[in-house]
Every structure is written in structure tokens, then in C-alpha cells.
Amino acid sequence: MKSMIEIHNLNHYFGEEALRQQVLFDINLELACGEVVIMTGPSGSGKTTLLSLIGGLRSVQTGSLKNSGQELNGASEAQLVKIRRYIGYIFQAHNLLPFLTARQNVQMSIELHENIPPVEAIEKSEAILEAVGLGERIHYLPEHLSGGQKQRVAIARALVSDPKLVLADEPTAALDSKTGRDVVNLMQQLAKQCGCTILIVTHDNRILDIADRIIHMEDGRLRKTLPQVRAFEESH
């Protein structure tokens, strides 16, 4: 199966000189096209740092990290920007613009792609908001939405452009169990229909069953990779 992400001997450091601290150690990982992978591990283990490197939000320092065959180590800012256009990001903070409605926040993601007409952008934005259960709040500003509703807008924004890769950091943290299940089912459906690769960082054991594979990170190292069935059994 073709790989979306290929990582070999990746290390990462924070700080300079005497304050330099290694946070990722010799990471080797491949994510296949259309695969749903969940990454678990304690807080501070390096999960979010790895996610941000895969997403081109941090520069690769040492080792190799390829996204769709393109090496990110040494990539220019312009190259990273181009790669980021085809990635859907879902982070713990909603990062919604307060002066835009739910639909406008979602539509911003589509407008990065110049070949989509405005009318289609509006239709796609409204359809994805319907799909995440916000059809009646399309024209609401973020201040009039609950925490869970804001997170659903952020998820809709990440999925609306049919990205090749979705990176999600605790996407269900602010959601009740039903909404969380609806959201991850939608993500899983996207992976199957569009061949989209999804990497989810989570502490939510309720959603482990959607993964094709579960990887565990501890102290900046990938400790183990388990097939979905065995990993699900070990978590219960």
C-alpha cells in the first residue's frame, strides 16, 4: 500500500546550546494512504510535537520526513505552505475567527484552493456543517456556540476541502460521547471514501475502535505499534 507519510530516524530538540533538550528520539513511522492511526501516550511524551512536524508547522531538524513523497527536511517556507493546503488540522484550541460565522470559518479553508467557485465553497461549507450536526447554527458567531459546537466547526473546517491528510489533536476532548462518536465516524468515512490518511492524538478510549492501527509514544519514543483489535482489547 502506498505511503502518505514516511519518517526515518527523526529527532527533534527544543532550546539552544546549554538549554537544548531532546524531545523526540529516533522516530520511525509510516502512514499508509487511507489509514486511520491513533497515537496514545501520556502528556508531555512528544505526541503534539510529532504531529506538528508531520503537518509542516515546525521545521524538521534531523532525519527524514516525507509527505506524499516530498522531503520536508530542508523544505522552504513556500514548499511547507503548499503542503499545508492539503492537510486538515484539528487542534485542542478551536482557533475560530470570532468575527466570522460558523460557515465563514469553514469556508476559509476552501478559499485556499483557487479552483473552487464561491457558490460551491458556500454549498460545501453548509453541507459539512450539516454533517457534523450544526445545520441550524450555520450563521452563528463563535461567541454564540458552546465549546463542543466550536470544536465541531473546527472539525468541519478541517474536513471540508477533502484533504489528503488529517491531523487531529484530541478532537473529541470537548465533545459528549454521542457527538464524539459522530465526528470520528465522519472522519473514518472520509478515510474510506477519499483515501485520506488520518492521524489522531487522543486520550479518549471510547474512539480507539475506529483505528486501523494504534501507536504509543512515551518519553519522546514510539514504544509499540499494535493492530487495532489487539490494541482495543489491551485498553479495556
Side-chain angles (χ1 to χ4, degrees):
M1 188 177 290
K2 186 179 177 184
S3 292
M4 170 61 65
I5 299 296
E6 299 173 75
I7 303 173
H8 299 289
N9 308 119
L10 182 73
N11 297 283
H12 198 74
Y13 305 82
F14 288 153
E16 299 290 335
E17 297 178 359
L19 297 177
R20 195 176 195 221
Q21 181 178 3
Q22 189 166 357
V23 292
L24 294 179
F25 299 81
D26 197 31
I27 303 296
N28 291 278
L29 177 66
E30 291 194 19
L31 305 179
C33 294
E35 187 179 25
V36 179
V37 177
I38 283 180
M39 180 160 53
T40 64
S43 298
S45 59
K47 303 185 303 297
T48 298
T49 300
L50 180 57
L51 209 67
S52 64
L53 285 164
I54 292 171
L57 300 173
R58 294 183 189 274
S59 296
V60 176
Q61 296 170 343
T62 69
S64 173
L65 198 166
K66 292 181 181 177
N67 183 320
S68 299
Q70 181 171 347
E71 179 61 65
L72 300 194
N73 190 345
S76 66
E77 182 57 30
Q79 288 171 320
L80 292 177
V81 167
K82 188 174 180 181
I83 284 171
R84 289 198 289 262
R85 287 179 180 164
Y86 297 95
I87 300 175
Y89 300 93
I90 306 167
F91 295 119
Q92 288 168 298
H94 316 114
N95 296 329
L96 302 181
L97 293 176
F99 49 85
L100 297 182
T101 65
R103 192 208 78 210
Q104 290 168 332
N105 266 287
V106 172
Q107 194 174 328
M108 278 184 61
S109 179
I110 305 180
E111 289 169 351
L112 293 171
H113 302 265
E114 298 170 356
N115 59 334
I116 298 179
V119 172
E120 185 182 342
I122 290 171
E123 289 174 352
K124 290 189 73 166
S125 300
E126 292 184 352
I128 195 76
L129 285 166
E130 288 272 2
V132 297
L134 290 176
E136 297 179 356
R137 290 175 168 77
I138 286 171
H139 302 296
Y140 282 44
L141 291 170
E143 65 180 329
H144 300 304
L145 298 172
S146 69
Q149 289 166 346
K150 290 176 187 175
Q151 183 69 323
R152 279 187 272 171
V153 174
I155 289 165
R157 180 181 59 192
L159 301 183
V160 71
S161 297
D162 300 322
K164 296 178 181 177
L165 174 66
V166 171
L167 301 174
D169 194 353
E170 300 287 358
T172 61
L175 305 178
D176 60 63
S177 58
K178 182 187 182 304
T179 305
R181 170 55 55 179
D182 290 345
V183 161
V184 294
N185 285 346
L186 185 67
M187 294 168 72
Q188 187 180 39
Q189 183 181 349
L190 179 75
K192 288 180 179 177
Q193 288 180 349
C194 308
C196 172
T197 303
I198 298 179
L199 177 59
I200 302 172
V201 168
T202 189
H203 291 99
D204 187 351
N205 288 341
R206 299 171 301 178
I207 68 169
L208 296 182
D209 60 303
I210 73 151
D212 298 307
R213 187 161 48 111
I214 297 175
I215 59 179
H216 184 76
M217 179 170 273
E218 200 167 325
D219 299 326
R221 293 176 169 85
L222 286 180
R223 295 295 189 186
K224 60 183 177 181
T225 299
L226 298 175
Q228 182 268 324
V229 173
R230 185 178 155 208
F232 184 64
E233 288 172 352
E234 286 195 5
S235 71
H236 285 66

